[in-house]
Amino acid sequence: MNKIHKRAKIADKTATIILYITASFFILLLVVLTGYILFQGFRAVTPQLLGFSGDGIGIQLFNTIYLVLISLIISVPIGICAGIYMAEYSRPGRITNILRSSIETLSSLPSIVVGLFAFLILVEATHMQYNLLAGAGAVSILSIPLITRVTEDAIRGVPDSYREGSYGIGATKWQTIVKILIPSALPRIITGIILAAGRGFGEAAALIYTSGMSSDIDFSNWNPASITSPLNIFRPCDTLAVHIWALKAEGIASNSQQIADLSAAVLVILVFLFNLGSRFLGRFITKKNSI
């Protein structure tokens, strides 16, 4: 028994050391990569490059936030509702297996394939030009499977004692889901939403075929019905990720490299701030529900 115990202890220590080394490597890689992107982006920044005209990236920054927001408005309710159904209402069987396989297949589709599909359905079939709503729809197709799986796993991870206690005081199944299960699973659900938003921020392939690679908007015109209004969801728009790709692939201006580097740095900061804000929001909601 002592030999077995010693071997188990050695194996545990070895696995722990390997885990720490692996984690440290990835943390170091993330720090180095982020530092390099920020250094390259801000070493020669000028006020003109941060503006909303000329070579400025202000329009692309606004487009990125707006498109991700629209995609979350579409994908979050659908994904959460689908996750609730899979966790609480679906019964083991052929149909449930087909649904789960379909969700897994959809989540693994290349983004360029989703972009071409969205182009055919949301642009060609509707006889419209490239537009922000089509881009948001393409990103939503990529996000819904992720949010669905995370929501399902999060709700299944809530202890059964929570359900039993809720049913014991006379709550219905829907009341138990809304008042007990979702608040308990909210931190993990928010994590899924953050991951989905992160993919939206960095998506380029699907947006090239749907939202387009240019923008013509007037920030003095806030009429949503106008094609030049920033709020119009049927106008073409290019996000930061698409802008970076265009500058790297086709940029002919003398400062294309500089603009692309700055766009990458701003995109990294944007994702970081979104993640930080979402974490604080999740903690606030969790504390509020626990009072």
Side-chain angles (χ1 to χ4, degrees):
M1 288 293 293
N2 290 334
K3 290 183 178 180
I4 296 176
H5 181 70
K6 288 181 179 179
R7 289 177 181 175
K9 206 168 184 179
I10 293 172
D12 180 67
K13 287 184 178 180
T14 303
T16 302
I17 292 172
I18 294 173
L19 179 63
Y20 274 107
I21 292 174
T22 305
S24 300
F25 170 76
F26 282 111
I27 292 173
L28 179 62
L29 180 63
L30 178 62
V31 171
V32 171
L33 180 61
T34 303
Y36 174 78
I37 292 173
L38 295 179
F39 173 76
Q40 289 290 108
F42 290 106
R43 64 176 180 172
V45 63
T46 61
Q48 290 77 14
L49 295 181
L50 296 173
F52 289 84
S53 60
D55 293 332
I57 62 171
I59 292 177
Q60 287 75 27
L61 176 60
F62 174 83
N63 287 338
T64 301
I65 298 173
Y66 193 37
L67 187 143
V68 171
L69 178 63
I70 297 298
S71 70
L72 290 179
I73 291 174
I74 297 171
S75 60
V76 169
I78 297 175
I80 291 179
C81 290
I84 292 172
Y85 171 79
M86 296 297 293
E88 293 295 314
Y89 290 98
S90 64
R91 297 179 180 179
R94 182 177 298 178
I95 295 178
T96 300
N97 292 336
I98 292 174
L99 284 174
R100 187 165 283 108
S101 298
S102 299
I103 292 171
E104 292 175 354
T105 302
L106 189 60
S107 64
S108 62
L109 283 177
S111 58
I112 192 168
V113 175
V114 174
L116 288 171
F117 172 79
F119 170 75
L120 293 174
I121 301 299
L122 302 177
V123 179
E124 282 287 306
T126 57
H127 303 288
M128 296 179 64
Q129 62 177 348
Y130 295 129
N131 62 87
L132 188 147
L133 183 60
V139 174
S140 298
I141 294 173
L142 296 169
S143 302
I144 289 173
L146 175 60
I147 298 175
T148 299
R149 291 304 305 272
V150 171
T151 302
E152 179 186 358
D153 293 340
I155 292 178
R156 288 185 183 275
V158 177
D160 290 335
S161 59
Y162 285 38
R163 297 176 176 84
E164 294 168 359
S166 179
Y167 294 146
I169 61 175
T172 63
K173 188 177 184 68
W174 180 247
Q175 288 174 332
T176 300
I177 292 172
V178 174
K179 300 293 185 179
I180 304 298
L181 300 184
I182 292 181
S184 300
L186 193 60
R188 293 180 62 183
I189 294 175
I190 289 178
T191 300
I193 294 173
I194 292 173
L195 293 174
R199 184 166 187 178
F201 281 123
E203 187 56 54
L207 299 181
I208 292 173
Y209 297 102
T210 51
S211 62
M213 299 173 58
S214 63
S215 296
D216 182 17
I217 57 178
D218 180 8
F219 281 95
S220 64
N221 177 16
W222 294 97
N223 178 13
S226 175
I227 194 64
T228 60
S229 171
L231 299 180
N232 192 310
I233 60 176
F234 298 106
R235 63 173 176 84
C237 80
D238 56 333
T239 62
L240 283 172
V242 173
H243 193 53
I244 293 169
W245 179 87
L247 289 170
K248 290 290 187 178
E250 304 174 358
I252 58 176
S254 59
N255 60 345
S256 294
Q257 180 69 37
Q258 182 182 355
I259 299 173
D261 291 340
L262 177 61
S263 299
V266 170
L267 187 58
V268 169
I269 294 174
L270 180 62
V271 173
F272 174 76
L273 292 177
F274 179 84
N275 290 354
L276 197 63
S278 300
R279 293 295 183 187
F280 279 119
L281 178 61
R283 289 180 182 178
F284 173 77
I285 295 175
T286 301
K287 288 181 179 179
K288 187 176 180 181
N289 289 332
S290 62
I291 295 176

